[in-house]
C-alpha cells in the first residue's frame, strides 16, 4: 500500500494543507503503534506493507509545477498496483490522481458540492470549485454521493456526472442508494473513492471551509462506503480537512479512524 501526502491548498480552502500533513502524521502514528505491539492483532497486516510519500510546497518550483508533480507521483503509485491512499489539501489536490485514473475508472465522490460551478462570482480559471471542468485528459466516470447543491440544473450536472445521489435521496432511502452503488462498483473494472470532508454533516465533522447542513452522518457514510468497497477499489483520496476549524479534535478523530479502517480493509481483503 502507498500513502501519498499531497498538501496542496492554493486556489481555495487555504489551511487544508495542514490537514493533509496531520493525517499523514496519523498514518505514521498508526504504523508506529503497530510496530510497538508485541501481541498478535489485526494491525499486523500493516507491518512492512505501507509506504509513505510526503510532498511539500515550500519552494516556488514546487508550487508552479504542482499538477505535473502530482500526476507523476500518482502515476508511479498506481503503476505498482498497490492500494493508494491520497491525502490532499483542498479538493483541487485530488485532480492529479483523478487525471491518472483514466476514462474507464469509476470514481465515487462523497462531496457536499459538485465542483462544476460557473456562476457570476466564480472564477473561470482552475479552482477547487470548478476543477472537474478542467481535466487535461478524458475524465473518469464520476458519481456524486451526498451533495446539497440547490442551484445547478440537471443538464449542467449531467455534462460531468454519470449520476448523482443528493443528500435528500440518501436520507429518503439509503438502502436503495447503497444497492445501486454496489451494483455500479461491482460492474466497474476499477473504482476510486474520493472523499471531500464536507460530505459529512458539520455536526460531526466541523473542520471544513465551506460546511453545508444536512450532510452524511457516520453510520450512513459507512453503509455507502461498504457498498462501494464491494468493487475493485484501487485507492481513495481524502481532502478538505482544515484542522484550524476543528472542535475538540472531533474531525481528526473521525478521519483518523477512517484512515486506519481503510488501510486495514485494503491490507486484509481477499484477492
Amino acid at each position: 500500500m502507498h500513502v501519498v501526502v499531497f498538501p496542496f491548498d492554493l486556489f481555495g480552502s487555504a489551511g487544508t494543507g495542514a490537514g493533509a500533513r496531520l493525517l499523514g502524521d496519523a498514518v505514521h502514528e498508526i504504523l508506529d503503534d503497530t510496530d510497538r505491539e508485541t501481541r498478535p492483532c489485526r494491525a499486523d497486516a500493516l507491518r512492512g506493507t505501507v509506504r509513505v510519500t510526503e510532498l511539500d510546497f515550500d519552494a516556488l518550483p514546487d508550487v508552479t509545477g504542482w499538477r505535473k508533480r502530482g500526476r507523476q507521483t500518482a502515476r508511479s503509485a498506481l503503476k505498482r498496483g498497490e492500494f493508494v491512499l491520497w491525502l490532499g489539501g483542498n479538493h483541487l489536490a485530488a485532480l492529479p490522481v483523478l487525471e491518472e485514473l483514466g476514462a474507464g475508472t469509476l470514481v465515487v465522490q462523497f462531496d457536499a458540492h459538485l465542483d462544476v460551478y460557473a456562476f457570476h462570482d466564480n472564477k473561470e480559471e482552475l479552482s477547487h470549485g470548478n476543477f472537474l471542468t478542467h481535466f487535461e485528459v478524458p475524465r473518469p466516470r464520476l458519481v456524486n454521493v451526498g451533495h446539497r447543491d440547490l442551484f445547478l440544473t440537471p443538464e449542467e450536472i449531467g455534462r460531468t456526472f454519470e449520476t448523482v445521489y443528493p443528500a435528500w435521496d440518501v436520507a429518503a432511502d439509503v438502502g436503495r442508494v447503497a444497492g445501486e452503488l454496489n451494483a455500479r462498483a461491482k460492474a466497474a473494472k476499477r473504482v476510486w473513492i474520493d472523499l471531500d470532508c464536507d460530505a459529512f454533516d458539520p455536526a460531526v465533522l466541523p473542520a471544513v471551509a465551506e460546511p453545508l447542513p444536512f450532510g452524511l452522518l457516520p453510520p450512513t457514510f459507512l453503509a455507502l462506503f461498504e457498498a462501494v468497497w464491494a468493487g475493485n477499489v484501487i485507492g481513495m483520496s481524502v481532502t478538505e480537512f482544515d484542522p484550524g476549524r476543528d472542535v475538540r479534535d472531533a474531525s481528526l478523530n473521525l478521519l483518523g479512524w477512517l484512515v486506519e479502517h481503510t488501510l486495514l480493509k485494503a491490507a486484509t481483503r481477499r484477492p
Side-chain angles (χ1 to χ4, degrees), residues 61-107:
D62 297 332
V63 174
T64 56
W66 73 273
R67 194 170 181 179
K68 179 179 179 181
R69 195 168 168 223
R71 288 193 61 176
Q72 289 173 339
T73 303
R75 188 180 309 124
S76 175
L78 291 168
K79 277 186 176 180
R80 291 176 178 270
E82 302 167 311
F83 182 88
V84 178
L85 179 61
W86 188 272
L87 304 176
N90 61 29
H91 205 173
L92 185 54
L95 178 58
V97 70
L98 297 183
E99 287 185 314
E100 288 298 319
L101 291 177
T105 304
L106 174 67
V107 175

mmCIF file of all heavy atoms in Angstrom, residues 61-107:
data_model
loop_
_atom_site.group_PDB
_atom_site.id
_atom_site.type_symbol
_atom_site.label_atom_id
_atom_site.label_comp_id
_atom_site.label_asym_id
_atom_site.label_seq_id
_atom_site.Cartn_x
_atom_site.Cartn_y
_atom_site.Cartn_z
ATOM 1 N N PRO A 61 9.289 26.535 -7.326
ATOM 2 C CA PRO A 61 9.187 25.498 -8.367
ATOM 3 C C PRO A 61 8.203 24.383 -7.992
ATOM 4 O O PRO A 61 7.535 23.824 -8.863
ATOM 5 C CB PRO A 61 10.617 24.969 -8.482
ATOM 6 C CG PRO A 61 11.475 26.092 -8.008
ATOM 7 C CD PRO A 61 10.700 26.738 -6.909
ATOM 8 N N ASP A 62 8.133 24.061 -6.691
ATOM 9 C CA ASP A 62 7.196 23.026 -6.253
ATOM 10 C C ASP A 62 5.757 23.468 -6.474
ATOM 11 O O ASP A 62 4.891 22.671 -6.830
ATOM 12 C CB ASP A 62 7.401 22.713 -4.766
ATOM 13 C CG ASP A 62 8.776 22.151 -4.476
ATOM 14 O OD1 ASP A 62 9.349 21.514 -5.382
ATOM 15 O OD2 ASP A 62 9.274 22.367 -3.362
ATOM 16 N N VAL A 63 5.511 24.758 -6.249
ATOM 17 C CA VAL A 63 4.160 25.296 -6.393
ATOM 18 C C VAL A 63 3.771 25.402 -7.860
ATOM 19 O O VAL A 63 2.689 24.974 -8.265
ATOM 20 C CB VAL A 63 4.044 26.668 -5.709
ATOM 21 C CG1 VAL A 63 2.681 27.296 -5.991
ATOM 22 C CG2 VAL A 63 4.259 26.533 -4.200
ATOM 23 N N THR A 64 4.656 25.969 -8.677
ATOM 24 C CA THR A 64 4.319 26.163 -10.088
ATOM 25 C C THR A 64 4.169 24.840 -10.834
ATOM 26 O O THR A 64 3.406 24.735 -11.784
ATOM 27 C CB THR A 64 5.380 27.032 -10.789
ATOM 28 O OG1 THR A 64 6.676 26.437 -10.614
ATOM 29 C CG2 THR A 64 5.400 28.440 -10.198
ATOM 30 N N GLY A 65 4.879 23.825 -10.373
ATOM 31 C CA GLY A 65 4.782 22.517 -11.030
ATOM 32 C C GLY A 65 3.925 21.530 -10.281
ATOM 33 O O GLY A 65 4.073 20.319 -10.462
ATOM 34 N N TRP A 66 2.980 22.034 -9.474
ATOM 35 C CA TRP A 66 2.219 21.159 -8.577
ATOM 36 C C TRP A 66 1.448 20.082 -9.333
ATOM 37 O O TRP A 66 1.413 18.921 -8.910
ATOM 38 C CB TRP A 66 1.250 21.989 -7.729
ATOM 39 C CG TRP A 66 0.069 22.523 -8.487
ATOM 40 C CD1 TRP A 66 -0.008 23.690 -9.188
ATOM 41 C CD2 TRP A 66 -1.208 21.893 -8.629
ATOM 42 N NE1 TRP A 66 -1.246 23.836 -9.767
ATOM 43 C CE2 TRP A 66 -2.006 22.743 -9.434
ATOM 44 C CE3 TRP A 66 -1.763 20.700 -8.161
ATOM 45 C CZ2 TRP A 66 -3.320 22.438 -9.785
ATOM 46 C CZ3 TRP A 66 -3.074 20.390 -8.507
ATOM 47 C CH2 TRP A 66 -3.842 21.252 -9.305
ATOM 48 N N ARG A 67 0.859 20.441 -10.455
ATOM 49 C CA ARG A 67 -0.002 19.485 -11.157
ATOM 50 C C ARG A 67 0.816 18.385 -11.818
ATOM 51 O O ARG A 67 0.484 17.196 -11.716
ATOM 52 C CB ARG A 67 -0.846 20.230 -12.194
ATOM 53 C CG ARG A 67 -2.007 19.444 -12.751
ATOM 54 C CD ARG A 67 -2.881 20.378 -13.552
ATOM 55 N NE ARG A 67 -4.040 19.740 -14.123
ATOM 56 C CZ ARG A 67 -4.960 20.390 -14.849
ATOM 57 N NH1 ARG A 67 -4.828 21.705 -15.051
ATOM 58 N NH2 ARG A 67 -5.997 19.747 -15.347
ATOM 59 N N LYS A 68 1.912 18.788 -12.483
ATOM 60 C CA LYS A 68 2.784 17.801 -13.121
ATOM 61 C C LYS A 68 3.397 16.897 -12.070
ATOM 62 O O LYS A 68 3.470 15.666 -12.252
ATOM 63 C CB LYS A 68 3.879 18.525 -13.909
ATOM 64 C CG LYS A 68 4.857 17.587 -14.607
ATOM 65 C CD LYS A 68 5.896 18.375 -15.386
ATOM 66 C CE LYS A 68 6.887 17.435 -16.068
ATOM 67 N NZ LYS A 68 7.933 18.204 -16.825
ATOM 68 N N ARG A 69 3.846 17.491 -10.974
ATOM 69 C CA ARG A 69 4.452 16.719 -9.890
ATOM 70 C C ARG A 69 3.453 15.733 -9.294
ATOM 71 O O ARG A 69 3.774 14.585 -9.009
ATOM 72 C CB ARG A 69 4.941 17.705 -8.830
ATOM 73 C CG ARG A 69 5.900 17.147 -7.810
ATOM 74 C CD ARG A 69 6.500 18.308 -7.038
ATOM 75 N NE ARG A 69 7.221 17.857 -5.863
ATOM 76 C CZ ARG A 69 7.134 18.443 -4.685
ATOM 77 N NH1 ARG A 69 6.343 19.488 -4.522
ATOM 78 N NH2 ARG A 69 7.842 17.997 -3.670
ATOM 79 N N GLY A 70 2.223 16.202 -9.136
ATOM 80 C CA GLY A 70 1.189 15.326 -8.599
ATOM 81 C C GLY A 70 0.882 14.164 -9.522
ATOM 82 O O GLY A 70 0.730 13.022 -9.071
ATOM 83 N N ARG A 71 0.802 14.440 -10.814
ATOM 84 C CA ARG A 71 0.496 13.385 -11.764
ATOM 85 C C ARG A 71 1.626 12.359 -11.825
ATOM 86 O O ARG A 71 1.378 11.157 -11.927
ATOM 87 C CB ARG A 71 0.220 13.971 -13.150
ATOM 88 C CG ARG A 71 -1.110 14.705 -13.247
ATOM 89 C CD ARG A 71 -1.510 15.015 -14.678
ATOM 90 N NE ARG A 71 -1.671 13.803 -15.460
ATOM 91 C CZ ARG A 71 -2.096 13.773 -16.721
ATOM 92 N NH1 ARG A 71 -2.397 14.915 -17.328
ATOM 93 N NH2 ARG A 71 -2.220 12.640 -17.369
ATOM 94 N N GLN A 72 2.871 12.824 -11.771
ATOM 95 C CA GLN A 72 3.997 11.891 -11.777
ATOM 96 C C GLN A 72 3.971 10.993 -10.544
ATOM 97 O O GLN A 72 4.207 9.785 -10.635
ATOM 98 C CB GLN A 72 5.312 12.672 -11.839
ATOM 99 C CG GLN A 72 5.574 13.343 -13.176
ATOM 100 C CD GLN A 72 6.793 14.248 -13.151
ATOM 101 O OE1 GLN A 72 7.236 14.694 -12.092
ATOM 102 N NE2 GLN A 72 7.337 14.542 -14.321
ATOM 103 N N THR A 73 3.667 11.590 -9.405
ATOM 104 C CA THR A 73 3.591 10.810 -8.165
ATOM 105 C C THR A 73 2.453 9.803 -8.231
ATOM 106 O O THR A 73 2.607 8.637 -7.856
ATOM 107 C CB THR A 73 3.395 11.747 -6.962
ATOM 108 O OG1 THR A 73 4.464 12.691 -6.916
ATOM 109 C CG2 THR A 73 3.359 10.957 -5.657
ATOM 110 N N ALA A 74 1.289 10.254 -8.714
ATOM 111 C CA ALA A 74 0.139 9.362 -8.820
ATOM 112 C C ALA A 74 0.402 8.240 -9.815
ATOM 113 O O ALA A 74 0.065 7.073 -9.561
ATOM 114 C CB ALA A 74 -1.094 10.160 -9.244
ATOM 115 N N ARG A 75 1.023 8.579 -10.938
ATOM 116 C CA ARG A 75 1.304 7.566 -11.965
ATOM 117 C C ARG A 75 2.222 6.480 -11.420
ATOM 118 O O ARG A 75 1.984 5.283 -11.618
ATOM 119 C CB ARG A 75 1.947 8.237 -13.185
ATOM 120 C CG ARG A 75 2.111 7.326 -14.395
ATOM 121 C CD ARG A 75 2.748 8.084 -15.554
ATOM 122 N NE ARG A 75 2.049 9.333 -15.803
ATOM 123 C CZ ARG A 75 2.644 10.522 -15.809
ATOM 124 N NH1 ARG A 75 3.947 10.618 -15.585
ATOM 125 N NH2 ARG A 75 1.942 11.612 -16.039
ATOM 126 N N SER A 76 3.253 6.894 -10.707
ATOM 127 C CA SER A 76 4.191 5.933 -10.126
ATOM 128 C C SER A 76 3.502 5.031 -9.112
ATOM 129 O O SER A 76 3.719 3.814 -9.094
ATOM 130 C CB SER A 76 5.349 6.691 -9.464
ATOM 131 O OG SER A 76 6.215 5.817 -8.797
ATOM 132 N N ALA A 77 2.650 5.627 -8.269
ATOM 133 C CA ALA A 77 1.958 4.846 -7.243
ATOM 134 C C ALA A 77 0.984 3.856 -7.866
ATOM 135 O O ALA A 77 0.902 2.693 -7.452
ATOM 136 C CB ALA A 77 1.232 5.781 -6.283
ATOM 137 N N LEU A 78 0.246 4.296 -8.876
ATOM 138 C CA LEU A 78 -0.761 3.434 -9.488
ATOM 139 C C LEU A 78 -0.125 2.307 -10.291
ATOM 140 O O LEU A 78 -0.660 1.195 -10.351
ATOM 141 C CB LEU A 78 -1.681 4.268 -10.387
ATOM 142 C CG LEU A 78 -2.616 5.242 -9.660
ATOM 143 C CD1 LEU A 78 -3.249 6.213 -10.650
ATOM 144 C CD2 LEU A 78 -3.692 4.487 -8.901
ATOM 145 N N LYS A 79 1.008 2.579 -10.914
ATOM 146 C CA LYS A 79 1.657 1.559 -11.742
ATOM 147 C C LYS A 79 2.123 0.367 -10.923
ATOM 148 O O LYS A 79 2.249 -0.739 -11.442
ATOM 149 C CB LYS A 79 2.847 2.171 -12.490
ATOM 150 C CG LYS A 79 2.454 2.893 -13.773
ATOM 151 C CD LYS A 79 3.685 3.340 -14.528
ATOM 152 C CE LYS A 79 3.302 3.971 -15.870
ATOM 153 N NZ LYS A 79 4.507 4.413 -16.626
ATOM 154 N N ARG A 80 2.397 0.568 -9.663
ATOM 155 C CA ARG A 80 2.866 -0.527 -8.811
ATOM 156 C C ARG A 80 1.740 -1.501 -8.461
ATOM 157 O O ARG A 80 1.998 -2.571 -7.918
ATOM 158 C CB ARG A 80 3.456 0.038 -7.517
ATOM 159 C CG ARG A 80 4.763 0.791 -7.718
ATOM 160 C CD ARG A 80 5.232 1.405 -6.411
ATOM 161 N NE ARG A 80 6.505 2.097 -6.548
ATOM 162 C CZ ARG A 80 7.701 1.539 -6.376
ATOM 163 N NH1 ARG A 80 7.776 0.264 -6.025
ATOM 164 N NH2 ARG A 80 8.802 2.228 -6.528
ATOM 165 N N GLY A 81 0.509 -1.114 -8.742
ATOM 166 C CA GLY A 81 -0.611 -1.988 -8.446
ATOM 167 C C GLY A 81 -0.969 -2.049 -6.981
ATOM 168 O O GLY A 81 -1.729 -2.922 -6.551
ATOM 169 N N GLU A 82 -0.428 -1.113 -6.187
ATOM 170 C CA GLU A 82 -0.732 -1.073 -4.768
ATOM 171 C C GLU A 82 -1.983 -0.246 -4.516
ATOM 172 O O GLU A 82 -2.351 0.624 -5.317
ATOM 173 C CB GLU A 82 0.436 -0.442 -3.998
ATOM 174 C CG GLU A 82 1.757 -1.152 -4.166
ATOM 175 C CD GLU A 82 2.904 -0.320 -3.643
ATOM 176 O OE1 GLU A 82 2.993 0.869 -3.986
ATOM 177 O OE2 GLU A 82 3.705 -0.877 -2.884
ATOM 178 N N PHE A 83 -2.636 -0.506 -3.395
ATOM 179 C CA PHE A 83 -3.712 0.370 -2.965
ATOM 180 C C PHE A 83 -3.101 1.723 -2.617
ATOM 181 O O PHE A 83 -2.097 1.802 -1.909
ATOM 182 C CB PHE A 83 -4.430 -0.213 -1.747
ATOM 183 C CG PHE A 83 -5.580 0.624 -1.270
ATOM 184 C CD1 PHE A 83 -6.852 0.439 -1.805
ATOM 185 C CD2 PHE A 83 -5.398 1.603 -0.304
ATOM 186 C CE1 PHE A 83 -7.913 1.215 -1.377
ATOM 187 C CE2 PHE A 83 -6.457 2.380 0.128
ATOM 188 C CZ PHE A 83 -7.720 2.189 -0.406
ATOM 189 N N VAL A 84 -3.722 2.812 -3.105
ATOM 190 C CA VAL A 84 -3.185 4.154 -2.904
ATOM 191 C C VAL A 84 -4.144 4.960 -2.029
ATOM 192 O O VAL A 84 -5.340 5.057 -2.329
ATOM 193 C CB VAL A 84 -2.976 4.891 -4.247
ATOM 194 C CG1 VAL A 84 -2.458 6.307 -4.003
ATOM 195 C CG2 VAL A 84 -2.020 4.113 -5.143
ATOM 196 N N LEU A 85 -3.616 5.524 -0.958
ATOM 197 C CA LEU A 85 -4.378 6.453 -0.121
ATOM 198 C C LEU A 85 -3.762 7.827 -0.322
ATOM 199 O O LEU A 85 -2.613 8.073 0.056
ATOM 200 C CB LEU A 85 -4.311 6.045 1.347
ATOM 201 C CG LEU A 85 -5.052 6.958 2.334
ATOM 202 C CD1 LEU A 85 -6.550 7.017 2.023
ATOM 203 C CD2 LEU A 85 -4.826 6.504 3.769
ATOM 204 N N TRP A 86 -4.528 8.736 -0.939
ATOM 205 C CA TRP A 86 -4.041 10.061 -1.338
ATOM 206 C C TRP A 86 -4.616 11.089 -0.366
ATOM 207 O O TRP A 86 -5.817 11.355 -0.349
ATOM 208 C CB TRP A 86 -4.513 10.350 -2.768
ATOM 209 C CG TRP A 86 -3.963 11.574 -3.413
ATOM 210 C CD1 TRP A 86 -4.471 12.845 -3.357
ATOM 211 C CD2 TRP A 86 -2.826 11.641 -4.285
ATOM 212 N NE1 TRP A 86 -3.720 13.705 -4.113
ATOM 213 C CE2 TRP A 86 -2.698 12.994 -4.696
ATOM 214 C CE3 TRP A 86 -1.906 10.705 -4.741
ATOM 215 C CZ2 TRP A 86 -1.688 13.418 -5.564
ATOM 216 C CZ3 TRP A 86 -0.901 11.125 -5.602
ATOM 217 C CH2 TRP A 86 -0.797 12.470 -6.005
ATOM 218 N N LEU A 87 -3.765 11.665 0.462
ATOM 219 C CA LEU A 87 -4.186 12.637 1.468
ATOM 220 C C LEU A 87 -3.852 14.026 0.958
ATOM 221 O O LEU A 87 -2.690 14.457 0.972
ATOM 222 C CB LEU A 87 -3.478 12.354 2.800
ATOM 223 C CG LEU A 87 -3.671 10.935 3.356
ATOM 224 C CD1 LEU A 87 -2.842 10.745 4.622
ATOM 225 C CD2 LEU A 87 -5.150 10.655 3.637
ATOM 226 N N GLY A 88 -4.880 14.727 0.466
ATOM 227 C CA GLY A 88 -4.664 16.019 -0.167
ATOM 228 C C GLY A 88 -5.101 17.185 0.698
ATOM 229 O O GLY A 88 -5.761 17.014 1.722
ATOM 230 N N GLY A 89 -4.711 18.383 0.265
ATOM 231 C CA GLY A 89 -5.143 19.608 0.924
ATOM 232 C C GLY A 89 -6.568 19.938 0.555
ATOM 233 O O GLY A 89 -7.507 19.280 1.003
ATOM 234 N N ASN A 90 -6.774 20.945 -0.297
ATOM 235 C CA ASN A 90 -8.148 21.183 -0.763
ATOM 236 C C ASN A 90 -8.501 20.174 -1.858
ATOM 237 O O ASN A 90 -7.662 19.381 -2.281
ATOM 238 C CB ASN A 90 -8.337 22.637 -1.212
ATOM 239 C CG ASN A 90 -7.441 23.037 -2.371
ATOM 240 O OD1 ASN A 90 -7.058 22.212 -3.203
ATOM 241 N ND2 ASN A 90 -7.085 24.314 -2.431
ATOM 242 N N HIS A 91 -9.767 20.217 -2.306
ATOM 243 C CA HIS A 91 -10.214 19.181 -3.241
ATOM 244 C C HIS A 91 -9.445 19.228 -4.556
ATOM 245 O O HIS A 91 -9.306 18.217 -5.249
ATOM 246 C CB HIS A 91 -11.716 19.316 -3.492
ATOM 247 C CG HIS A 91 -12.357 18.034 -3.907
ATOM 248 N ND1 HIS A 91 -13.715 17.887 -4.054
ATOM 249 C CD2 HIS A 91 -11.831 16.806 -4.205
ATOM 250 C CE1 HIS A 91 -13.996 16.649 -4.430
ATOM 251 N NE2 HIS A 91 -12.874 15.980 -4.532
ATOM 252 N N LEU A 92 -8.926 20.392 -4.895
ATOM 253 C CA LEU A 92 -8.124 20.516 -6.106
ATOM 254 C C LEU A 92 -6.901 19.600 -6.061
ATOM 255 O O LEU A 92 -6.403 19.168 -7.103
ATOM 256 C CB LEU A 92 -7.692 21.979 -6.265
ATOM 257 C CG LEU A 92 -6.928 22.385 -7.520
ATOM 258 C CD1 LEU A 92 -7.691 21.990 -8.783
ATOM 259 C CD2 LEU A 92 -6.682 23.893 -7.504
ATOM 260 N N ALA A 93 -6.441 19.272 -4.871
ATOM 261 C CA ALA A 93 -5.276 18.394 -4.724
ATOM 262 C C ALA A 93 -5.543 16.980 -5.216
ATOM 263 O O ALA A 93 -4.604 16.200 -5.418
ATOM 264 C CB ALA A 93 -4.837 18.362 -3.257
ATOM 265 N N ALA A 94 -6.813 16.626 -5.403
ATOM 266 C CA ALA A 94 -7.140 15.293 -5.922
ATOM 267 C C ALA A 94 -7.071 15.236 -7.445
ATOM 268 O O ALA A 94 -7.065 14.136 -8.020
ATOM 269 C CB ALA A 94 -8.546 14.884 -5.463
ATOM 270 N N LEU A 95 -7.027 16.395 -8.109
ATOM 271 C CA LEU A 95 -7.074 16.416 -9.566
ATOM 272 C C LEU A 95 -5.964 15.592 -10.218
ATOM 273 O O LEU A 95 -6.241 14.819 -11.144
ATOM 274 C CB LEU A 95 -7.036 17.864 -10.071
ATOM 275 C CG LEU A 95 -7.029 18.052 -11.589
ATOM 276 C CD1 LEU A 95 -8.259 17.403 -12.236
ATOM 277 C CD2 LEU A 95 -6.959 19.541 -11.944
ATOM 278 N N PRO A 96 -4.700 15.704 -9.782
ATOM 279 C CA PRO A 96 -3.649 14.920 -10.471
ATOM 280 C C PRO A 96 -3.906 13.423 -10.468
ATOM 281 O O PRO A 96 -3.715 12.757 -11.491
ATOM 282 C CB PRO A 96 -2.387 15.275 -9.674
ATOM 283 C CG PRO A 96 -2.660 16.622 -9.098
ATOM 284 C CD PRO A 96 -4.119 16.599 -8.761
ATOM 285 N N VAL A 97 -4.345 12.878 -9.346
ATOM 286 C CA VAL A 97 -4.575 11.430 -9.305
ATOM 287 C C VAL A 97 -5.820 11.070 -10.100
ATOM 288 O O VAL A 97 -5.852 10.025 -10.777
ATOM 289 C CB VAL A 97 -4.657 10.915 -7.855
ATOM 290 C CG1 VAL A 97 -5.903 11.373 -7.150
ATOM 291 C CG2 VAL A 97 -4.566 9.386 -7.826
ATOM 292 N N LEU A 98 -6.844 11.909 -10.099
ATOM 293 C CA LEU A 98 -8.039 11.626 -10.894
ATOM 294 C C LEU A 98 -7.713 11.632 -12.382
ATOM 295 O O LEU A 98 -8.266 10.834 -13.152
ATOM 296 C CB LEU A 98 -9.141 12.634 -10.582
ATOM 297 C CG LEU A 98 -9.687 12.637 -9.150
ATOM 298 C CD1 LEU A 98 -10.828 13.655 -9.013
ATOM 299 C CD2 LEU A 98 -10.175 11.257 -8.738
ATOM 300 N N GLU A 99 -6.809 12.513 -12.788
ATOM 301 C CA GLU A 99 -6.416 12.552 -14.197
ATOM 302 C C GLU A 99 -5.649 11.291 -14.600
ATOM 303 O O GLU A 99 -5.689 10.883 -15.766
ATOM 304 C CB GLU A 99 -5.574 13.794 -14.471
ATOM 305 C CG GLU A 99 -6.376 15.083 -14.467
ATOM 306 C CD GLU A 99 -5.555 16.296 -14.867
ATOM 307 O OE1 GLU A 99 -4.424 16.450 -14.366
ATOM 308 O OE2 GLU A 99 -6.046 17.093 -15.691
ATOM 309 N N GLU A 100 -4.952 10.685 -13.670
ATOM 310 C CA GLU A 100 -4.170 9.487 -13.975
ATOM 311 C C GLU A 100 -5.006 8.207 -13.969
ATOM 312 O O GLU A 100 -4.538 7.160 -14.402
ATOM 313 C CB GLU A 100 -3.021 9.345 -12.977
ATOM 314 C CG GLU A 100 -1.903 10.351 -13.180
ATOM 315 C CD GLU A 100 -1.223 10.215 -14.533
ATOM 316 O OE1 GLU A 100 -0.993 9.064 -14.969
ATOM 317 O OE2 GLU A 100 -0.940 11.239 -15.158
ATOM 318 N N LEU A 101 -6.234 8.277 -13.507
ATOM 319 C CA LEU A 101 -7.053 7.068 -13.386
ATOM 320 C C LEU A 101 -7.553 6.571 -14.732
ATOM 321 O O LEU A 101 -7.722 5.369 -14.929
ATOM 322 C CB LEU A 101 -8.240 7.325 -12.456
ATOM 323 C CG LEU A 101 -7.899 7.534 -10.984
ATOM 324 C CD1 LEU A 101 -9.155 7.864 -10.191
ATOM 325 C CD2 LEU A 101 -7.228 6.297 -10.405
ATOM 326 N N GLY A 102 -7.832 7.481 -15.647
ATOM 327 C CA GLY A 102 -8.314 7.068 -16.959
ATOM 328 C C GLY A 102 -9.827 7.005 -17.044
ATOM 329 O O GLY A 102 -10.535 6.916 -16.031
ATOM 330 N N ALA A 103 -10.321 7.043 -18.273
ATOM 331 C CA ALA A 103 -11.756 7.145 -18.520
ATOM 332 C C ALA A 103 -12.530 5.908 -18.070
ATOM 333 O O ALA A 103 -13.740 5.976 -17.850
ATOM 334 C CB ALA A 103 -12.004 7.405 -20.009
ATOM 335 N N GLY A 104 -11.868 4.776 -17.926
ATOM 336 C CA GLY A 104 -12.580 3.558 -17.566
ATOM 337 C C GLY A 104 -12.789 3.352 -16.083
ATOM 338 O O GLY A 104 -13.463 2.405 -15.673
ATOM 339 N N THR A 105 -12.237 4.229 -15.254
ATOM 340 C CA THR A 105 -12.346 4.074 -13.813
ATOM 341 C C THR A 105 -13.603 4.752 -13.288
ATOM 342 O O THR A 105 -13.926 5.874 -13.684
ATOM 343 C CB THR A 105 -11.114 4.670 -13.103
ATOM 344 O OG1 THR A 105 -9.932 4.068 -13.615
ATOM 345 C CG2 THR A 105 -11.193 4.457 -11.597
ATOM 346 N N LEU A 106 -14.311 4.084 -12.396
ATOM 347 C CA LEU A 106 -15.469 4.680 -11.734
ATOM 348 C C LEU A 106 -14.990 5.396 -10.481
ATOM 349 O O LEU A 106 -14.369 4.787 -9.609
ATOM 350 C CB LEU A 106 -16.480 3.599 -11.355
ATOM 351 C CG LEU A 106 -17.685 4.069 -10.520
ATOM 352 C CD1 LEU A 106 -18.591 4.985 -11.330
ATOM 353 C CD2 LEU A 106 -18.460 2.878 -9.976
ATOM 354 N N VAL A 107 -15.252 6.694 -10.395
ATOM 355 C CA VAL A 107 -14.907 7.486 -9.218
ATOM 356 C C VAL A 107 -16.190 7.817 -8.472
ATOM 357 O O VAL A 107 -17.082 8.470 -9.011
ATOM 358 C CB VAL A 107 -14.169 8.782 -9.603
ATOM 359 C CG1 VAL A 107 -13.928 9.653 -8.358
ATOM 360 C CG2 VAL A 107 -12.848 8.468 -10.290
#
